[in-house]
Amino acid sequence: MKWTGLNELRESFLSFMESKGCLRHKSYPLVPQNDKSALLTIAGMAPLKPYFTGQEVPPRTRMTTCQKCIRTNDIENVGKTARHGTFFEMLGNFSFGDYFKKEAIPWAWEFFTKVLEIPEDRLYVTVYEDDDEAEKIWHEDVGLPMEKIFRFGKEDNFWEAGIDGPCGPCSEIYFDRGPEYGCGKPDCAVGCDCDRYMEVWNLVFTQFERHEDGTYTELKQKNIDTGMGLERLAAVMQGVDSIFDVDTVKAIRDHICKIAGCEYGKEYKKDVSIRVITDHIRAVTFLASDGVLPSNEGRGYVMRRLLRRAVRHGKLLGIDGLFLKDLVKTVVDCSKGEYNELEEKYEYIVKLLTNEEKNFNETIDRGMQILSGYVDEMVSSGEKILDGKKCFFLSDTYGFPIDLTREILEEKGLECDEEGYKQALAVQKETARAARGDSKYMGADETVFHKIDREYTTEFTGYERLEDESVIDFIANENELIEAAGAGEEVYIITKSTPFYAESGGQVGDKGEIFTVSGKCEVLDTFKAVGGKSVHKVKITEGAVEVGQKAELKVDRESRLATMRNHSCAHLLQSALRTVLGDHVHQAGQLVDSERLRFDFSHFSAMSLDEIQRVEMLVNSYILSALKITTQVLPIDEAKKLGAMALFGEKYGETVRVVSMGDASIEFCGGTHMDNTSKIGLFKIISESSVASGVRRIEAVTGKGVLEAMGRQIATLNEASGLLKLTNQSELVNRVRGLMEEIKALEREKSELSSAIADMRSKGLLEHTVDVKGVKLITAMFNPMKPEEIRLLAEKIRDAHPEIVCVIAGVNGKSANLCVTAGKEAVAKGVHSGKAIGKIAAITGGKGGGRPEEAMAGVGDIFKIDEALAGAEEIIGEAVK
C-alpha cells in the first residue's frame, strides 16, 4: 500500500465524497450547539442531529465532514495503552432521506480499493444478523466472497440511542493487519479479541423507529451515518502500530521526547507520560481554539483536567519550567491546513495554556503541602488509609489524579480509599449531568414548537423597519398549539415575518406591541425556537387574538435604538481592547440591552487604570470620527478574506452577515446596529472585573446611559463636598488626602498604644505560668479584645519566651476568638498550636487551625470559654513528648 499522510487522507476522503454529490462542510466546533446531551462533540454525526431528527432542514440532503471530536470516558487509560486517546478526527458521509445502502456500501468499497488502493484480500466486512439486504449488496453488487462477510448480533452491528427513536443496523469494514498481530488460534477471524483485525469504517443504516414497548417500524425517511477515525485510517495506510506513530501525531510525540531528553519505546513508564502529553496537548489546543476555558465545572473542567495531567506527566519526565507553549506550535503546524482557526488564534491559545500551566505549578505545590499534612495526621493517629473524600478534594481542587495520590501514599507505606474517591466522583458527575438538564432523543429538547412544520421559518424584517404587518400563523401556550387567546393570558405568537429581533448573539429580544382588529398584545420578549422560528412572548392586554388574523407589529423604538447603540459600541470596544491589550483578546460572551453593554473577553490579568482610560478614549474617538456602519451578506470564505472576526465556537452557515465600522471593526454579526458611530453618542466604562480564569468583564454605557452615569457621579461629588463642608469641589481631593494622612497618623498612634498595652499585659501574664511536663503554659481571657489584639499579645510572649505556650481568649461583643502560640522550645517538645487549638476550640463548639507556632480559632459558645481554658493544660500535656 502507498504510504499516505494524515492530512492527505483527510482531503482524499472529503474530495471523494464531494464527487458523489455530498456537500463538504467544515468541522463544527467542539462545543455542541443547542444540545444538552453532551458537554463536547463526541462523534461526527453529533452536530448533525437536528437534520437526522427532522428538527431542521439540512443545507443539502447529502453531506460529508471531517469532525474534530473529544471523548474522555476512558481518560484514565490514556497513555497506559497505545490505543486510547481523547482527541480524534472523524471522517463521515451522511444522507438525510437521500441515498441509502445501495450507494453507501459500494462507495466505501470504491474509496478503499480504488482511491486508497488497499488490497481487497486484506478487507473484511460485518453485517447485522438479520440484514439480508446489506449482505446481498456486499456479495452481489460489490463482489465480496461470502466467506469475507460475517453476521453479528445486536451488540456488535445494530445502532440505537435510548429506548426510543431512530435506529438501525450497521456494517463495519475491517482491515487485516497480518498474522503477526494475531493470537495464533486456528479459529482467529473477524470478531476475535486479538489485534489482527482492525475495525476501520462503520456504516450505520438508520431505517427503523424504535418504540418504548421494544417494537420497531420502518422510517419513511431513511438516513445514512458513516464514521471512520482518521488517525486509525492513517495508521493502516502508514503501516504503523498505533495512532501515536501516525505522522502528525508522531511529530508532537517526537517534540516531547526532544524537550524531555528521552527516547520513545525504551521505557514503559516514560512512554505512558509521552503518550499522555501527546494526546492531551492536541485536545487542549483544539479546545482553546473553540473558546473553551479551563474551569472547575463542565467542559472547562474537562479541559483543566487534561491540561493538568499533561503538566504532571511533564514533571514525571523531568521537564523543568513551562513547556506546553512549545508544543502548541507543533500541534498548530500539523493541523492548520484544515483548521485555520488554530493559526488565527495561536497567540491566544499560547497565552491561555501558559497562564493555566503557571497557575497549576503554583497549585500543585500547595496541594503537596496539603497531602503532606494528611500524611502527618495519618502517621500520628496510626491510620493507614486516606479518606476517599480527601483524595477527591486533592483531585478536584488541586488537580491531583488519584494515581498520583496513590503513588505518594504508597511511598509512605499508606493507601488511599479508592472506593470512597469513586463515590465522591460519581456525586460530582451526577451533579454535572443534572446541570445539563433533561433532554429527549439525541439531545433535542421537545417543546410545543416542535409541533410546527420544520419547513416553516420566520423572515426578520427588523433591519430595515421597526413596524410591519403580517398574519398570525400560530398561537401556543406551554403545552399545545391553540386557536385563540384572550385578555390576561400569556401566550406565544408566531408570524411569517416580524420586525422584532429574536434574542441571539448576546443581543436581547425586542419588546413592543402587536395589534389585531380584536385585540392588543404587549410583547414581553422575542426569542428563537427550533428551525429558525421567531417567537413573540406576549401578554394579551385587551380583547382577544386569533390564528389567521392580520397583525400590526410595532417594536419599542426607544428600547431598540438604545440596544443598537450598545451593540455597535460592543464591536468598537473589542477593537479597542485588541489595540490596547493585544491580539489575544477575543469575545468570550456579551449581553447588550437598552440599559448597558456587558462584554466578556479573554485576558489574563486585571486591566490597569491607564489601560481602561486608553480603551475608553479610543472607543470615543471612533464614535466622534462618525464612521459609517455598513452590513453585507457574503460567503463565509469571502468574509474571512476581508478579515472579519468570528466568535469562538459559533456555528456559521455557508453565508454570513458582516458588519463593518470604517477601519475600526469588521465582524460576523446577525444583530442590529446604528448606521453611523456618531449616533452612539458617548461611551463610558462603569466597571472592569474578573469572571473566570483568563476572562475579564467590562460593563459600560452609551448615549443617555453616559449622561445618567455622569449625573450619579456629580450627585456623589456634591454629597461628599457637603459632608466635608466644602464650597468648591476642586478642593475635594486635597481635603480627602489630608484626612487620609490624619487617619494614618491616628492608626500609628493606635498601633503604638496597642503594642504598649500588650507589653504591660504580657508582663502580668508571665507571673501566672503553669509548668506542664517542662513546658510553661499561660491561659487568659480578656473582654473586650479584638482578634488582632489577641494575636499581637500572644506573639510578643512567644517571641520573647521560647519555652512558653500561650492560650488567650478575647471577647469582642457577641463574638469571641482564641489564639494559641508556642515558642521554639515548646514546638521542639511536640506542641503544635494548630492541632491544640482545634481541640481547645472544640470544647466551645468552635473551629480553627494553623501552624505549629501559631493558630487562631473562632469560639462557638462564649460561656464555655472558661471550660476551654481549663482544659488547655491537659491538651498541651498530651502533646508534650
Side-chain angles (χ1 to χ4, degrees), residues 546-597:
E546 299 176 8
V547 170
Q549 284 186 322
K550 183 180 287 186
E552 188 179 348
L553 300 95
K554 290 185 177 182
V555 175
D556 183 325
R557 181 180 179 81
E558 289 302 313
S559 177
R560 164 72 87 81
L561 289 176
T563 301
M564 288 164 64
R565 282 192 286 269
N566 285 330
H567 197 167
S568 295
C569 213
H571 285 222
L572 297 177
L573 173 59
Q574 176 163 231
S575 175
L577 286 167
R578 287 171 64 84
T579 299
V580 173
L581 302 179
D583 289 343
H584 65 278
V585 169
H586 286 276
Q587 179 180 325
Q590 76 170 11
L591 178 65
V592 289
D593 59 19
S594 60
E595 299 295 323
R596 66 179 58 200
L597 69 92

Coordinates of all heavy atoms in Angstrom, one line a residue, residues 546-597:
E546 N -56.6 35.8 17.4 CA -56.9 34.5 16.8 C -55.9 34.2 15.7 O -55.3 35.1 15.1 CB -58.3 34.5 16.2 CG -59.4 34.7 17.2 CD -60.8 34.8 16.6 OE1 -60.8 34.5 15.3 OE2 -61.7 35.1 17.2
V547 N -55.7 32.9 15.5 CA -54.9 32.4 14.4 C -55.5 32.9 13.1 O -56.8 32.8 12.9 CB -54.7 30.9 14.4 CG1 -54.1 30.4 13.1 CG2 -53.9 30.5 15.6
G548 N -54.7 33.4 12.1 CA -55.2 33.8 10.8 C -55.5 35.3 10.7 O -55.7 35.8 9.6
Q549 N -55.5 36.0 11.9 CA -55.7 37.4 11.9 C -54.5 38.2 11.3 O -53.4 37.8 11.6 CB -56.1 37.9 13.3 CG -57.5 37.6 13.7 CD -57.7 38.3 15.1 OE1 -56.9 38.4 16.0 NE2 -59.0 38.8 15.3
K550 N -54.8 39.3 10.6 CA -53.7 40.2 10.2 C -53.3 40.9 11.5 O -54.1 41.4 12.3 CB -54.2 41.1 9.1 CG -53.1 42.0 8.6 CD -53.5 42.9 7.5 CE -53.8 42.1 6.2 NZ -54.1 43.1 5.1
A551 N -52.0 41.1 11.6 CA -51.5 41.8 12.8 C -50.5 42.9 12.5 O -49.8 42.8 11.5 CB -50.7 40.8 13.7
E552 N -50.6 43.9 13.3 CA -49.7 45.1 13.1 C -48.6 44.9 14.2 O -49.0 44.8 15.4 CB -50.4 46.4 13.3 CG -49.6 47.6 13.0 CD -50.4 48.9 13.1 OE1 -51.6 48.8 13.2 OE2 -49.8 50.0 13.1
L553 N -47.4 44.9 13.9 CA -46.3 44.6 14.8 C -45.4 45.9 15.0 O -44.9 46.4 14.0 CB -45.4 43.4 14.4 CG -46.1 42.1 14.2 CD1 -46.5 41.9 12.8 CD2 -45.2 40.9 14.7
K554 N -45.3 46.4 16.2 CA -44.6 47.6 16.5 C -43.5 47.4 17.5 O -43.8 47.1 18.7 CB -45.5 48.7 16.9 CG -46.4 49.3 15.8 CD -47.2 50.5 16.4 CE -48.1 51.0 15.3 NZ -48.9 52.2 15.7
V555 N -42.2 47.5 17.2 CA -41.1 47.4 18.1 C -41.0 48.7 18.9 O -41.2 49.8 18.4 CB -39.8 47.2 17.4 CG1 -38.6 47.1 18.3 CG2 -39.9 45.9 16.6
D556 N -40.7 48.5 20.2 CA -40.5 49.7 21.1 C -39.2 50.4 20.6 O -38.1 49.9 20.7 CB -40.2 49.2 22.5 CG -40.0 50.4 23.5 OD1 -39.4 51.4 23.1 OD2 -40.5 50.2 24.7
R557 N -39.5 51.6 19.9 CA -38.4 52.3 19.2 C -37.2 52.7 20.1 O -36.1 52.5 19.8 CB -39.0 53.5 18.5 CG -38.0 54.3 17.7 CD -38.6 55.5 17.0 NE -37.6 56.3 16.3 CZ -37.2 56.0 15.1 NH1 -37.7 54.9 14.5 NH2 -36.3 56.7 14.5
E558 N -37.6 53.3 21.3 CA -36.5 53.8 22.2 C -35.7 52.7 22.7 O -34.4 52.8 22.8 CB -37.2 54.6 23.3 CG -37.8 55.9 22.9 CD -36.7 56.9 22.3 OE1 -35.6 57.0 22.9 OE2 -37.0 57.4 21.2
S559 N -36.3 51.6 23.1 CA -35.6 50.5 23.6 C -34.7 49.9 22.5 O -33.5 49.6 22.8 CB -36.5 49.4 24.1 OG -35.8 48.3 24.6
R560 N -35.2 49.7 21.3 CA -34.3 49.1 20.2 C -33.2 50.0 19.9 O -32.0 49.6 19.8 CB -35.2 48.9 19.0 CG -34.4 48.7 17.7 CD -33.7 47.3 17.7 NE -34.6 46.3 17.2 CZ -34.8 46.2 15.8 NH1 -34.1 46.9 15.0 NH2 -35.6 45.3 15.4
L561 N -33.4 51.3 19.8 CA -32.3 52.3 19.5 C -31.2 52.2 20.5 O -30.0 52.3 20.2 CB -32.8 53.7 19.3 CG -33.6 53.9 18.0 CD1 -34.2 55.3 18.0 CD2 -32.8 53.7 16.7
A562 N -31.6 52.2 21.8 CA -30.6 52.1 22.9 C -29.8 50.8 22.8 O -28.6 50.8 23.1 CB -31.4 52.3 24.2
T563 N -30.5 49.7 22.5 CA -29.9 48.4 22.4 C -28.9 48.5 21.2 O -27.8 47.9 21.3 CB -30.9 47.3 22.2 OG1 -31.8 47.3 23.3 CG2 -30.2 46.0 22.1
M564 N -29.3 49.1 20.1 CA -28.4 49.2 18.9 C -27.2 50.0 19.3 O -26.1 49.6 18.8 CB -29.2 49.8 17.8 CG -30.2 48.8 17.2 SD -31.4 49.6 16.1 CE -30.4 50.2 14.8
R565 N -27.3 51.1 20.0 CA -26.1 51.9 20.4 C -25.2 51.0 21.2 O -23.9 51.0 21.0 CB -26.6 53.1 21.2 CG -27.1 54.2 20.4 CD -27.3 55.5 21.2 NE -28.4 55.4 22.1 CZ -29.6 55.8 21.8 NH1 -29.9 56.3 20.6 NH2 -30.6 55.7 22.7
N566 N -25.7 50.3 22.1 CA -24.8 49.4 23.0 C -24.2 48.3 22.2 O -23.0 47.9 22.4 CB -25.6 48.8 24.1 CG -25.9 49.9 25.2 OD1 -25.1 50.8 25.4 ND2 -27.0 49.7 25.9
H567 N -25.0 47.7 21.2 CA -24.4 46.6 20.4 C -23.3 47.1 19.5 O -22.2 46.5 19.4 CB -25.5 45.9 19.6 CG -25.1 44.6 19.1 ND1 -26.0 43.7 18.6 CD2 -23.9 44.0 19.0 CE1 -25.4 42.6 18.2 NE2 -24.1 42.8 18.5
S568 N -23.5 48.2 18.8 CA -22.5 48.8 17.9 C -21.2 49.1 18.7 O -20.1 48.9 18.3 CB -23.0 50.0 17.2 OG -24.1 49.7 16.3
C569 N -21.4 49.6 19.9 CA -20.3 50.0 20.8 C -19.5 48.8 21.3 O -18.3 48.9 21.5 CB -20.8 50.8 22.0 SG -19.5 52.1 22.4
A570 N -20.2 47.6 21.4 CA -19.5 46.4 21.8 C -18.5 46.0 20.8 O -17.4 45.5 21.1 CB -20.5 45.3 22.0
H571 N -18.8 46.2 19.5 CA -17.9 45.9 18.4 C -16.7 46.9 18.5 O -15.5 46.4 18.4 CB -18.6 46.1 17.1 CG -19.5 45.0 16.7 ND1 -19.6 44.5 15.4 CD2 -20.4 44.3 17.4 CE1 -20.5 43.5 15.4 NE2 -21.0 43.4 16.6
L572 N -16.9 48.1 18.7 CA -15.8 49.1 18.9 C -15.0 48.8 20.1 O -13.8 49.0 20.1 CB -16.4 50.5 19.0 CG -17.2 51.0 17.7 CD1 -17.7 52.4 18.0 CD2 -16.3 51.0 16.5
L573 N -15.6 48.3 21.2 CA -14.9 48.0 22.4 C -13.9 46.9 22.1 O -12.8 46.9 22.6 CB -15.9 47.6 23.5 CG -15.3 47.1 24.8 CD1 -14.4 48.1 25.4 CD2 -16.4 46.8 25.8
Q574 N -14.4 45.8 21.4 CA -13.5 44.7 21.2 C -12.3 45.2 20.4 O -11.1 44.8 20.6 CB -14.2 43.6 20.4 CG -13.3 42.4 20.0 CD -14.0 41.1 19.7 OE1 -13.7 40.1 20.2 NE2 -14.9 41.2 18.8
S575 N -12.5 46.0 19.4 CA -11.4 46.5 18.5 C -10.4 47.3 19.4 O -9.2 47.1 19.3 CB -12.0 47.4 17.4 OG -10.9 48.0 16.7
A576 N -11.0 48.2 20.3 CA -10.1 49.0 21.2 C -9.3 48.1 22.1 O -8.1 48.3 22.4 CB -10.9 50.0 21.9
L577 N -9.9 47.1 22.7 CA -9.3 46.1 23.6 C -8.1 45.4 22.9 O -7.0 45.3 23.5 CB -10.2 45.1 24.2 CG -11.2 45.7 25.2 CD1 -12.3 44.7 25.5 CD2 -10.5 46.0 26.5
R578 N -8.3 45.0 21.7 CA -7.3 44.3 20.9 C -6.1 45.3 20.6 O -4.9 44.9 20.6 CB -7.8 43.7 19.6 CG -8.7 42.5 19.9 CD -9.4 42.0 18.7 NE -8.5 41.6 17.6 CZ -8.0 40.3 17.5 NH1 -8.3 39.4 18.5 NH2 -7.2 40.0 16.5
T579 N -6.4 46.5 20.4 CA -5.4 47.5 20.1 C -4.6 47.8 21.4 O -3.3 47.9 21.3 CB -6.0 48.8 19.6 OG1 -6.7 48.6 18.4 CG2 -5.0 49.9 19.4
V580 N -5.2 47.9 22.5 CA -4.5 48.3 23.7 C -3.9 47.1 24.4 O -2.7 47.2 24.9 CB -5.5 49.0 24.7 CG1 -4.9 49.2 26.1 CG2 -6.0 50.3 24.1
L581 N -4.6 46.0 24.5 CA -4.1 44.8 25.2 C -3.4 43.8 24.4 O -2.5 43.0 24.9 CB -5.3 44.1 26.0 CG -6.0 45.0 26.9 CD1 -7.2 44.2 27.6 CD2 -5.1 45.6 28.0
G582 N -3.7 43.6 23.1 CA -3.1 42.6 22.2 C -4.1 41.8 21.5 O -5.3 41.7 21.8
D583 N -3.6 41.1 20.5 CA -4.5 40.3 19.6 C -5.0 39.0 20.3 O -5.8 38.3 19.7 CB -3.7 39.9 18.3 CG -3.5 41.1 17.4 OD1 -4.2 42.1 17.6 OD2 -2.7 41.0 16.5
H584 N -4.6 38.7 21.5 CA -5.1 37.5 22.2 C -6.5 37.8 22.7 O -7.2 36.9 23.0 CB -4.2 37.2 23.3 CG -4.2 38.2 24.4 ND1 -3.4 39.4 24.3 CD2 -4.9 38.4 25.6 CE1 -3.6 40.1 25.4 NE2 -4.5 39.5 26.2
V585 N -6.9 39.0 22.7 CA -8.3 39.4 23.1 C -9.3 38.9 22.1 O -9.2 39.2 21.0 CB -8.4 40.9 23.3 CG1 -9.9 41.3 23.6 CG2 -7.6 41.4 24.5
H586 N -10.3 38.1 22.7 CA -11.4 37.7 21.9 C -12.6 37.7 22.7 O -12.6 37.5 24.0 CB -11.2 36.2 21.4 CG -10.2 36.1 20.3 ND1 -10.5 36.3 18.9 CD2 -8.9 35.8 20.3 CE1 -9.4 36.1 18.2 NE2 -8.4 35.8 19.0
Q587 N -13.8 37.9 22.1 CA -15.0 38.0 22.8 C -15.3 36.6 23.4 O -15.2 35.6 22.8 CB -16.2 38.3 21.9 CG -17.5 38.3 22.6 CD -18.7 38.7 21.6 OE1 -18.5 39.5 20.8 NE2 -19.8 38.1 21.8
A588 N -15.6 36.6 24.7 CA -15.9 35.3 25.4 C -17.4 35.3 25.9 O -17.8 34.4 26.6 CB -15.0 35.1 26.6
G589 N -18.1 36.3 25.5 CA -19.5 36.4 25.8 C -19.9 37.9 25.9 O -19.1 38.7 26.2
Q590 N -21.2 38.2 25.6 CA -21.7 39.5 25.8 C -23.2 39.5 26.0 O -23.9 38.6 25.7 CB -21.3 40.4 24.5 CG -22.2 40.1 23.3 CD -21.9 41.2 22.2 OE1 -21.0 42.0 22.3 NE2 -22.8 41.2 21.2
L591 N -23.7 40.6 26.6 CA -25.1 40.9 26.7 C -25.3 42.4 26.5 O -24.7 43.2 27.2 CB -25.6 40.5 28.1 CG -27.0 40.7 28.4 CD1 -27.9 39.8 27.5 CD2 -27.4 40.5 29.8
V592 N -26.1 42.7 25.5 CA -26.4 44.1 25.2 C -28.0 44.2 25.2 O -28.7 43.5 24.6 CB -25.9 44.5 23.8 CG1 -24.4 44.6 23.9 CG2 -26.3 43.6 22.7
D593 N -28.4 45.2 26.0 CA -29.8 45.6 26.1 C -29.9 47.1 26.0 O -28.9 47.8 25.7 CB -30.5 45.0 27.3 CG -29.8 45.4 28.6 OD1 -29.1 46.4 28.6 OD2 -30.0 44.7 29.7
S594 N -31.0 47.6 26.4 CA -31.2 49.0 26.3 C -30.6 49.8 27.4 O -30.4 51.0 27.4 CB -32.7 49.4 26.3 OG -33.3 48.9 27.5
E595 N -30.2 49.1 28.5 CA -29.6 49.8 29.7 C -28.1 49.9 29.6 O -27.5 50.9 29.9 CB -29.9 49.0 30.9 CG -31.4 48.9 31.2 CD -32.0 50.3 31.5 OE1 -31.3 51.1 32.2 OE2 -33.2 50.5 31.1
R596 N -27.4 48.8 29.2 CA -25.9 48.8 29.1 C -25.4 47.7 28.3 O -26.2 46.9 27.8 CB -25.4 48.7 30.6 CG -25.7 47.4 31.2 CD -25.1 47.3 32.6 NE -25.6 48.4 33.5 CZ -24.9 48.8 34.6 NH1 -23.8 48.2 35.0 NH2 -25.4 49.8 35.3
L597 N -24.1 47.7 28.1 CA -23.5 46.5 27.4 C -22.5 45.8 28.4 O -21.9 46.5 29.2 CB -22.7 47.0 26.2 CG -21.4 47.8 26.3 CD1 -20.2 46.9 26.4 CD2 -21.3 48.8 25.2

